[in-house]
Amino acid sequence: MRNAPDANDFETAGAARPLTLAAIDAGSNALRLLVAEFDDATHSRIVAQERLPVRLGHNVFLSGALAEDAMDRAVEGFATFRRQMDALDVARYRAVATSAVRESTNGEAFIERVRRETGIEVEVITGSEEARLAFRAVQARLPLGSERWAMMDIGGGSVEVMLVDRSGLLWSESHTIGTVRLLEELRLAGEAPGRLQRLVTEYMATLRIASAADRWGVAGFVATGGNVEALAKLAGLEPDASGVSRLPLATLRELAQALARLSFSERVRQLSLREDRADVILPAAFITLRIAEVVGADTVVVPHVGLKEGILFDLAEDVILHRFHEDERDRAVLAGAIALGQRYRFDEEHGVHVGRLALSLFDQLRALHGLDDQDRRVLLAAAVLHDLGLFVSHKRHHKHSLYLLQNSEIAGFTPGEMLMIANVARYHRKGGPSAEHEQFARLGADERERVRSLSAILRLADALDREHRQHVSDVRAEATDTGLVLHVDGGGDMLLERWALEKKADLFEELFGLRVSLASVA
């Protein structure tokens, strides 16, 4: 089994048999495995799925560290998953860990132990990536139409809340109010539902989804997660022909109050709930109810898919369709960057225009810089958001951009890539990268070299929109043995652009040994 197959994996698998892919979700409340056979990117059959009740979130939200016994059970679980994947001849998998591992002080050691003892590479993902993957699953199951929807994915350690439509994820926020976390914080285990309900209400007061929903308007509310599916089942609802259940808010409210009247043991005995479900289902009910009320929904749409399905669908596109077409990847990165930029009232026209010019230069100069497509996406995000720090102050705004970006999330980027984005944006002006700069020094040697190259390209693109008025509509780069000549289309005499280019080309000239000049403008 390989986790990084050749681009031709689907073809070499042959038409005689489908491609088998697997998803592993190491959540705060359980480990989950999902294996499916894909005939193509959209037609698949589930061949195996398993849920192991390993509560990695136990005690971590209080102590800050994963418990030794929980890690032992988790490693055993990963070993079990590895044997199953080997037996099923899985061609590729993706394994992710969420908030419990993400927030633990010993999470890296745990990930290394899993790799060493089972051979499984686990990726710790951000809350925004959780949101993107959950949406990916919903998108495949539920026709969203042209309207906007509020969406929630509830886990043991966090809740992701989003606004979505059929084009993608429009806005998201991640909150540390997961079901296991609530129980760990209060040591409730269902014994004090009144206190629990008040705590959920207090947490929900920090959500910005209400104002976002008011601004955009929503057609409905979609909720994912095993607890939401369990609530729909307890309400006596069966999925329709498309696999979707619809839980009326009035029914959910009655169900939440009924659950609150039962003790933990009564929920296990009377409702036939698993023990690791019986305690967390009450906070899940209160959280779902409150978010539905906040967005003004009268029904909770339950699609019976979640993070693991999103991982699988995403992986299928990656392997079978080679992710998706680059213009679609660009749109996804652009949408995420714009959504972040709008929080800080950035100059969207300037940011997007510089991003477009930067990508054009990147593509034309591939033979010179040798960077890959993920570097290209890092450049796009950094270019769009390079002036984000103006929200704080014009003075030293490049450093403010660094701070804001390194502490932000954009779906599809790891924390390490966000640090790269922050550094590229930071060096769009003033001095170039230096090992004496703390956040640049945090990067690995290879990442530092890539940041230097990407920053050099960004400085050229930014110089071509010096006045933020988009005078340069297009650029063509002509590289010779001694120089790089930029031919531009646009209006005006380009005096400011030429002046800015002379100031900002220093890093490019130092790295690549080519003198940069702007062709004479007719």
Side-chain angles (χ1 to χ4, degrees), residues 76-98:
E76 292 174 2
F78 275 105
T80 298
F81 289 169
R82 180 59 191 251
R83 288 191 293 271
Q84 289 179 272
M85 291 191 295
D86 287 343
L88 292 168
D89 195 22
V90 168
R92 189 174 176 185
Y93 69 90
R94 185 183 182 190
V96 308
T98 55

Side-chain angles (χ1 to χ4, degrees), residues 12 22 93 141 183 208 228 241 278 280 285 339 361 409 422 473 482 505 507:
T12 57
Y93 69 90
R141 172 62 57 89
L183 293 178
R208 290 174 292 163
V228 178
V280 294
L361 290 171
E409 295 179 359
S473 59
T482 59
L507 180 57

Side-chain angles (χ1 to χ4, degrees), residues 64-83:
L66 298 166
E68 289 294 332
D69 59 341
M71 288 193 290
D72 291 343
R73 293 195 302 273
V75 172
E76 292 174 2
F78 275 105
T80 298
F81 289 169
R82 180 59 191 251
R83 288 191 293 271

Side-chain angles (χ1 to χ4, degrees), residues 413-433:
F413 292 111
T414 66
E417 288 167 338
M418 285 304 302
L419 183 59
M420 286 185 62
I421 291 168
N423 273 281
V424 173
R426 182 249 190 272
Y427 295 116
H428 81 274
R429 68 191 290 266
K430 298 293 185 181

Side-chain angles (χ1 to χ4, degrees), residues 443-461:
L443 297 169
D446 179 62
E447 292 172 327
R448 290 196 293 270
E449 288 306 309
R450 287 150 61 196
V451 164
R452 287 189 180 95
S453 297
L454 295 174
S455 299
I457 295 170
L458 173 55
R459 290 164 80 100
L460 300 184

